[in-house]
PDB file of all heavy atoms in Angstrom:
ATOM      1  N   LEU A   1     108.589 112.677  89.577  1.00  0.00           N
ATOM      2  CA  LEU A   1     109.557 113.586  90.264  1.00  0.00           C
ATOM      3  C   LEU A   1     110.797 113.907  89.390  1.00  0.00           C
ATOM      4  O   LEU A   1     111.197 112.994  88.725  1.00  0.00           O
ATOM      5  CB  LEU A   1     109.980 113.030  91.578  1.00  0.00           C
ATOM      6  CG  LEU A   1     108.934 113.065  92.738  1.00  0.00           C
ATOM      7  CD1 LEU A   1     109.275 111.960  93.867  1.00  0.00           C
ATOM      8  CD2 LEU A   1     108.903 114.427  93.344  1.00  0.00           C
ATOM      9  N   ILE A   2     111.284 115.127  89.588  1.00  0.00           N
ATOM     10  CA  ILE A   2     112.566 115.557  88.979  1.00  0.00           C
ATOM     11  C   ILE A   2     113.339 115.943  90.150  1.00  0.00           C
ATOM     12  O   ILE A   2     113.074 117.064  90.725  1.00  0.00           O
ATOM     13  CB  ILE A   2     112.346 116.661  87.949  1.00  0.00           C
ATOM     14  CG1 ILE A   2     111.439 116.160  86.820  1.00  0.00           C
ATOM     15  CG2 ILE A   2     113.677 117.060  87.302  1.00  0.00           C
ATOM     16  CD1 ILE A   2     110.916 117.321  85.963  1.00  0.00           C
ATOM     17  N   ILE A   3     114.466 115.290  90.484  1.00  0.00           N
ATOM     18  CA  ILE A   3     115.311 115.628  91.582  1.00  0.00           C
ATOM     19  C   ILE A   3     116.689 116.047  91.085  1.00  0.00           C
ATOM     20  O   ILE A   3     117.297 115.238  90.342  1.00  0.00           O
ATOM     21  CB  ILE A   3     115.413 114.565  92.637  1.00  0.00           C
ATOM     22  CG1 ILE A   3     113.969 114.221  93.164  1.00  0.00           C
ATOM     23  CG2 ILE A   3     116.348 114.890  93.798  1.00  0.00           C
ATOM     24  CD1 ILE A   3     113.961 113.075  94.212  1.00  0.00           C
ATOM     25  N   ASN A   4     117.196 117.237  91.417  1.00  0.00           N
ATOM     26  CA  ASN A   4     118.425 117.714  90.914  1.00  0.00           C
ATOM     27  C   ASN A   4     118.593 117.600  89.422  1.00  0.00           C
ATOM     28  O   ASN A   4     119.621 117.254  88.947  1.00  0.00           O
ATOM     29  CB  ASN A   4     119.590 116.952  91.642  1.00  0.00           C
ATOM     30  CG  ASN A   4     119.544 117.213  93.171  1.00  0.00           C
ATOM     31  OD1 ASN A   4     119.134 118.295  93.634  1.00  0.00           O
ATOM     32  ND2 ASN A   4     119.849 116.175  93.920  1.00  0.00           N
ATOM     33  N   GLY A   5     117.526 117.976  88.765  1.00  0.00           N
ATOM     34  CA  GLY A   5     117.519 118.019  87.263  1.00  0.00           C
ATOM     35  C   GLY A   5     117.323 116.643  86.644  1.00  0.00           C
ATOM     36  O   GLY A   5     117.285 116.602  85.386  1.00  0.00           O
ATOM     37  N   LYS A   6     117.160 115.527  87.320  1.00  0.00           N
ATOM     38  CA  LYS A   6     117.061 114.248  86.792  1.00  0.00           C
ATOM     39  C   LYS A   6     115.678 113.637  87.048  1.00  0.00           C
ATOM     40  O   LYS A   6     115.244 113.613  88.245  1.00  0.00           O
ATOM     41  CB  LYS A   6     118.162 113.285  87.358  1.00  0.00           C
ATOM     42  CG  LYS A   6     118.037 111.961  86.720  1.00  0.00           C
ATOM     43  CD  LYS A   6     119.211 111.004  87.402  1.00  0.00           C
ATOM     44  CE  LYS A   6     119.134 109.584  86.799  1.00  0.00           C
ATOM     45  NZ  LYS A   6     120.112 108.737  87.437  1.00  0.00           N
ATOM     46  N   LYS A   7     114.952 113.302  86.005  1.00  0.00           N
ATOM     47  CA  LYS A   7     113.682 112.635  86.158  1.00  0.00           C
ATOM     48  C   LYS A   7     113.819 111.258  86.637  1.00  0.00           C
ATOM     49  O   LYS A   7     114.622 110.475  86.122  1.00  0.00           O
ATOM     50  CB  LYS A   7     112.887 112.689  84.872  1.00  0.00           C
ATOM     51  CG  LYS A   7     111.469 112.133  85.005  1.00  0.00           C
ATOM     52  CD  LYS A   7     110.604 112.277  83.765  1.00  0.00           C
ATOM     53  CE  LYS A   7     110.110 113.715  83.646  1.00  0.00           C
ATOM     54  NZ  LYS A   7     109.163 113.943  82.598  1.00  0.00           N
ATOM     55  N   LEU A   8     112.973 110.935  87.683  1.00  0.00           N
ATOM     56  CA  LEU A   8     113.060 109.557  88.212  1.00  0.00           C
ATOM     57  C   LEU A   8     112.436 108.597  87.174  1.00  0.00           C
ATOM     58  O   LEU A   8     111.672 108.877  86.299  1.00  0.00           O
ATOM     59  CB  LEU A   8     112.397 109.471  89.517  1.00  0.00           C
ATOM     60  CG  LEU A   8     112.782 110.436  90.673  1.00  0.00           C
ATOM     61  CD1 LEU A   8     112.079 109.940  92.061  1.00  0.00           C
ATOM     62  CD2 LEU A   8     114.267 110.436  90.795  1.00  0.00           C
ATOM     63  N   THR A   9     112.794 107.279  87.357  1.00  0.00           N
ATOM     64  CA  THR A   9     112.216 106.297  86.529  1.00  0.00           C
ATOM     65  C   THR A   9     111.095 105.545  87.217  1.00  0.00           C
ATOM     66  O   THR A   9     111.087 105.436  88.433  1.00  0.00           O
ATOM     67  CB  THR A   9     113.309 105.199  86.124  1.00  0.00           C
ATOM     68  OG1 THR A   9     113.776 104.576  87.314  1.00  0.00           O
ATOM     69  CG2 THR A   9     114.409 105.851  85.299  1.00  0.00           C
ATOM     70  N   TYR A  10     110.023 105.137  86.415  1.00  0.00           N
ATOM     71  CA  TYR A  10     108.850 104.517  86.936  1.00  0.00           C
ATOM     72  C   TYR A  10     108.554 103.317  86.153  1.00  0.00           C
ATOM     73  O   TYR A  10     108.705 103.216  85.018  1.00  0.00           O
ATOM     74  CB  TYR A  10     107.711 105.510  86.902  1.00  0.00           C
ATOM     75  CG  TYR A  10     107.813 106.743  87.828  1.00  0.00           C
ATOM     76  CD1 TYR A  10     108.630 107.858  87.369  1.00  0.00           C
ATOM     77  CD2 TYR A  10     107.345 106.754  89.115  1.00  0.00           C
ATOM     78  CE1 TYR A  10     108.783 108.952  88.183  1.00  0.00           C
ATOM     79  CE2 TYR A  10     107.477 107.875  89.940  1.00  0.00           C
ATOM     80  CZ  TYR A  10     108.153 108.922  89.454  1.00  0.00           C
ATOM     81  OH  TYR A  10     108.396 110.032  90.297  1.00  0.00           O
ATOM     82  N   ALA A  11     108.079 102.301  86.856  1.00  0.00           N
ATOM     83  CA  ALA A  11     107.596 101.041  86.177  1.00  0.00           C
ATOM     84  C   ALA A  11     106.121 100.702  86.633  1.00  0.00           C
ATOM     85  O   ALA A  11     105.821 100.751  87.841  1.00  0.00           O
ATOM     86  CB  ALA A  11     108.569  99.830  86.622  1.00  0.00           C
ATOM     87  N   TYR A  12     105.281 100.391  85.664  1.00  0.00           N
ATOM     88  CA  TYR A  12     104.000 100.077  85.924  1.00  0.00           C
ATOM     89  C   TYR A  12     103.874  98.859  86.832  1.00  0.00           C
ATOM     90  O   TYR A  12     104.610  97.856  86.606  1.00  0.00           O
ATOM     91  CB  TYR A  12     103.205  99.858  84.651  1.00  0.00           C
ATOM     92  CG  TYR A  12     101.808  99.358  84.828  1.00  0.00           C
ATOM     93  CD1 TYR A  12     100.706 100.225  85.075  1.00  0.00           C
ATOM     94  CD2 TYR A  12     101.420  97.940  84.803  1.00  0.00           C
ATOM     95  CE1 TYR A  12      99.496  99.740  85.225  1.00  0.00           C
ATOM     96  CE2 TYR A  12     100.188  97.494  84.937  1.00  0.00           C
ATOM     97  CZ  TYR A  12      99.179  98.306  85.156  1.00  0.00           C
ATOM     98  OH  TYR A  12      97.818  97.885  85.368  1.00  0.00           O
ATOM     99  N   GLN A  13     103.027  98.852  87.874  1.00  0.00           N
ATOM    100  CA  GLN A  13     102.830  97.689  88.817  1.00  0.00           C
ATOM    101  C   GLN A  13     101.431  96.996  88.616  1.00  0.00           C
ATOM    102  O   GLN A  13     101.324  95.803  88.291  1.00  0.00           O
ATOM    103  CB  GLN A  13     103.059  98.128  90.203  1.00  0.00           C
ATOM    104  CG  GLN A  13     103.200  97.031  91.178  1.00  0.00           C
ATOM    105  CD  GLN A  13     103.585  97.482  92.590  1.00  0.00           C
ATOM    106  OE1 GLN A  13     103.329  98.694  92.883  1.00  0.00           O
ATOM    107  NE2 GLN A  13     104.209  96.614  93.334  1.00  0.00           N
ATOM    108  N   GLN A  14     100.400  97.773  88.839  1.00  0.00           N
ATOM    109  CA  GLN A  14      99.073  97.276  88.699  1.00  0.00           C
ATOM    110  C   GLN A  14      98.052  98.353  88.566  1.00  0.00           C
ATOM    111  O   GLN A  14      98.252  99.521  89.001  1.00  0.00           O
ATOM    112  CB  GLN A  14      98.651  96.383  89.927  1.00  0.00           C
ATOM    113  CG  GLN A  14      98.508  97.103  91.168  1.00  0.00           C
ATOM    114  CD  GLN A  14      98.124  96.129  92.302  1.00  0.00           C
ATOM    115  OE1 GLN A  14      98.431  95.048  92.365  1.00  0.00           O
ATOM    116  NE2 GLN A  14      97.364  96.755  93.341  1.00  0.00           N
ATOM    117  N   SER A  15      96.827  98.066  88.115  1.00  0.00           N
ATOM    118  CA  SER A  15      95.718  98.978  88.025  1.00  0.00           C
ATOM    119  C   SER A  15      94.616  98.742  89.128  1.00  0.00           C
ATOM    120  O   SER A  15      94.413  97.492  89.365  1.00  0.00           O
ATOM    121  CB  SER A  15      95.076  98.942  86.697  1.00  0.00           C
ATOM    122  OG  SER A  15      94.051  99.899  86.501  1.00  0.00           O
ATOM    123  N   ASN A  16      94.103  99.823  89.649  1.00  0.00           N
ATOM    124  CA  ASN A  16      93.014  99.668  90.611  1.00  0.00           C
ATOM    125  C   ASN A  16      91.745 100.303  89.997  1.00  0.00           C
ATOM    126  O   ASN A  16      91.828 100.727  88.859  1.00  0.00           O
ATOM    127  CB  ASN A  16      93.473 100.346  91.933  1.00  0.00           C
ATOM    128  CG  ASN A  16      94.827  99.940  92.369  1.00  0.00           C
ATOM    129  OD1 ASN A  16      95.137  98.762  92.597  1.00  0.00           O
ATOM    130  ND2 ASN A  16      95.716 100.894  92.467  1.00  0.00           N
ATOM    131  N   THR A  17      90.754 100.363  90.857  1.00  0.00           N
ATOM    132  CA  THR A  17      89.488 100.946  90.255  1.00  0.00           C
ATOM    133  C   THR A  17      89.587 102.327  89.802  1.00  0.00           C
ATOM    134  O   THR A  17      89.159 102.699  88.692  1.00  0.00           O
ATOM    135  CB  THR A  17      88.402 100.915  91.426  1.00  0.00           C
ATOM    136  OG1 THR A  17      88.283  99.591  91.959  1.00  0.00           O
ATOM    137  CG2 THR A  17      87.079 101.401  90.846  1.00  0.00           C
ATOM    138  N   ASP A  18      90.223 103.207  90.603  1.00  0.00           N
ATOM    139  CA  ASP A  18      90.324 104.623  90.178  1.00  0.00           C
ATOM    140  C   ASP A  18      91.788 105.151  90.196  1.00  0.00           C
ATOM    141  O   ASP A  18      91.982 106.393  90.258  1.00  0.00           O
ATOM    142  CB  ASP A  18      89.428 105.552  91.024  1.00  0.00           C
ATOM    143  CG  ASP A  18      89.786 105.366  92.517  1.00  0.00           C
ATOM    144  OD1 ASP A  18      90.646 104.609  92.854  1.00  0.00           O
ATOM    145  OD2 ASP A  18      89.113 106.088  93.414  1.00  0.00           O
ATOM    146  N   SER A  19      92.657 104.255  90.251  1.00  0.00           N
ATOM    147  CA  SER A  19      94.122 104.591  90.326  1.00  0.00           C
ATOM    148  C   SER A  19      94.985 103.472  89.797  1.00  0.00           C
ATOM    149  O   SER A  19      94.459 102.327  89.437  1.00  0.00           O
ATOM    150  CB  SER A  19      94.522 104.903  91.798  1.00  0.00           C
ATOM    151  OG  SER A  19      94.368 103.701  92.577  1.00  0.00           O
ATOM    152  N   PHE A  20      96.195 103.650  89.718  1.00  0.00           N
ATOM    153  CA  PHE A  20      97.159 102.570  89.429  1.00  0.00           C
ATOM    154  C   PHE A  20      98.471 102.768  90.214  1.00  0.00           C
ATOM    155  O   PHE A  20      98.816 103.854  90.645  1.00  0.00           O
ATOM    156  CB  PHE A  20      97.412 102.456  87.828  1.00  0.00           C
ATOM    157  CG  PHE A  20      97.983 103.774  87.220  1.00  0.00           C
ATOM    158  CD1 PHE A  20      99.383 103.971  87.194  1.00  0.00           C
ATOM    159  CD2 PHE A  20      97.181 104.710  86.738  1.00  0.00           C
ATOM    160  CE1 PHE A  20      99.902 105.068  86.563  1.00  0.00           C
ATOM    161  CE2 PHE A  20      97.632 105.881  86.105  1.00  0.00           C
ATOM    162  CZ  PHE A  20      99.027 105.994  86.066  1.00  0.00           C
ATOM    163  N   ASP A  21      99.157 101.615  90.430  1.00  0.00           N
ATOM    164  CA  ASP A  21     100.292 101.612  91.208  1.00  0.00           C
ATOM    165  C   ASP A  21     101.544 101.535  90.349  1.00  0.00           C
ATOM    166  O   ASP A  21     101.519 100.793  89.333  1.00  0.00           O
ATOM    167  CB  ASP A  21     100.327 100.460  92.225  1.00  0.00           C
ATOM    168  CG  ASP A  21      99.226 100.593  93.278  1.00  0.00           C
ATOM    169  OD1 ASP A  21      98.538 101.662  93.394  1.00  0.00           O
ATOM    170  OD2 ASP A  21      98.961  99.561  93.949  1.00  0.00           O
ATOM    171  N   LYS A  22     102.625 102.190  90.664  1.00  0.00           N
ATOM    172  CA  LYS A  22     103.879 102.184  90.004  1.00  0.00           C
ATOM    173  C   LYS A  22     104.963 102.053  90.979  1.00  0.00           C
ATOM    174  O   LYS A  22     104.834 102.343  92.136  1.00  0.00           O
ATOM    175  CB  LYS A  22     104.064 103.490  89.219  1.00  0.00           C
ATOM    176  CG  LYS A  22     102.971 103.837  88.254  1.00  0.00           C
ATOM    177  CD  LYS A  22     103.399 104.949  87.258  1.00  0.00           C
ATOM    178  CE  LYS A  22     103.485 106.338  87.931  1.00  0.00           C
ATOM    179  NZ  LYS A  22     103.710 107.412  87.054  1.00  0.00           N
ATOM    180  N   ILE A  23     106.132 101.500  90.485  1.00  0.00           N
ATOM    181  CA  ILE A  23     107.351 101.509  91.274  1.00  0.00           C
ATOM    182  C   ILE A  23     108.160 102.649  90.974  1.00  0.00           C
ATOM    183  O   ILE A  23     108.463 102.932  89.748  1.00  0.00           O
ATOM    184  CB  ILE A  23     108.126 100.171  90.881  1.00  0.00           C
ATOM    185  CG1 ILE A  23     107.382  98.851  91.230  1.00  0.00           C
ATOM    186  CG2 ILE A  23     109.514 100.190  91.751  1.00  0.00           C
ATOM    187  CD1 ILE A  23     107.068  98.725  92.691  1.00  0.00           C
ATOM    188  N   GLU A  24     108.455 103.430  91.971  1.00  0.00           N
ATOM    189  CA  GLU A  24     109.239 104.687  91.855  1.00  0.00           C
ATOM    190  C   GLU A  24     110.689 104.376  92.300  1.00  0.00           C
ATOM    191  O   GLU A  24     110.842 103.920  93.398  1.00  0.00           O
ATOM    192  CB  GLU A  24     108.665 105.731  92.606  1.00  0.00           C
ATOM    193  CG  GLU A  24     109.388 107.087  92.643  1.00  0.00           C
ATOM    194  CD  GLU A  24     108.677 108.178  93.405  1.00  0.00           C
ATOM    195  OE1 GLU A  24     108.882 108.154  94.596  1.00  0.00           O
ATOM    196  OE2 GLU A  24     107.866 108.930  92.891  1.00  0.00           O
ATOM    197  N   ASP A  25     111.732 104.659  91.488  1.00  0.00           N
ATOM    198  CA  ASP A  25     113.069 104.532  91.742  1.00  0.00           C
ATOM    199  C   ASP A  25     113.580 105.918  92.337  1.00  0.00           C
ATOM    200  O   ASP A  25     113.985 106.745  91.579  1.00  0.00           O
ATOM    201  CB  ASP A  25     113.886 104.060  90.599  1.00  0.00           C
ATOM    202  CG  ASP A  25     115.336 103.657  90.984  1.00  0.00           C
ATOM    203  OD1 ASP A  25     115.797 104.042  92.090  1.00  0.00           O
ATOM    204  OD2 ASP A  25     115.991 103.004  90.113  1.00  0.00           O
ATOM    205  N   LEU A  26     113.540 105.976  93.641  1.00  0.00           N
ATOM    206  CA  LEU A  26     113.853 107.245  94.279  1.00  0.00           C
ATOM    207  C   LEU A  26     115.470 107.248  94.574  1.00  0.00           C
ATOM    208  O   LEU A  26     115.808 106.909  95.708  1.00  0.00           O
ATOM    209  CB  LEU A  26     113.063 107.411  95.550  1.00  0.00           C
ATOM    210  CG  LEU A  26     113.106 108.771  96.347  1.00  0.00           C
ATOM    211  CD1 LEU A  26     112.798 109.917  95.364  1.00  0.00           C
ATOM    212  CD2 LEU A  26     112.145 108.725  97.489  1.00  0.00           C
TER     213      LEU A  26
END
């Protein structure tokens, strides 16, 4: 996401079979 011109930061959390989870700093 880019909100008001600023891209949010993301941190890797874990991998799943067909996806992966991240921490989104909203």
Side-chain angles (χ1 to χ4, degrees):
L1 284 163
I2 303 168
I3 299 179
N4 298 325
K6 182 181 177 181
K7 182 173 283 191
L8 305 191
T9 59
Y10 295 83
Y12 174 83
Q13 191 173 23
Q14 68 176 31
S15 183
N16 311 302
T17 303
D18 56 0
S19 64
F20 57 92
D21 297 346
K22 300 192 290 185
I23 300 294
E24 179 178 81
D25 188 346
L26 188 56

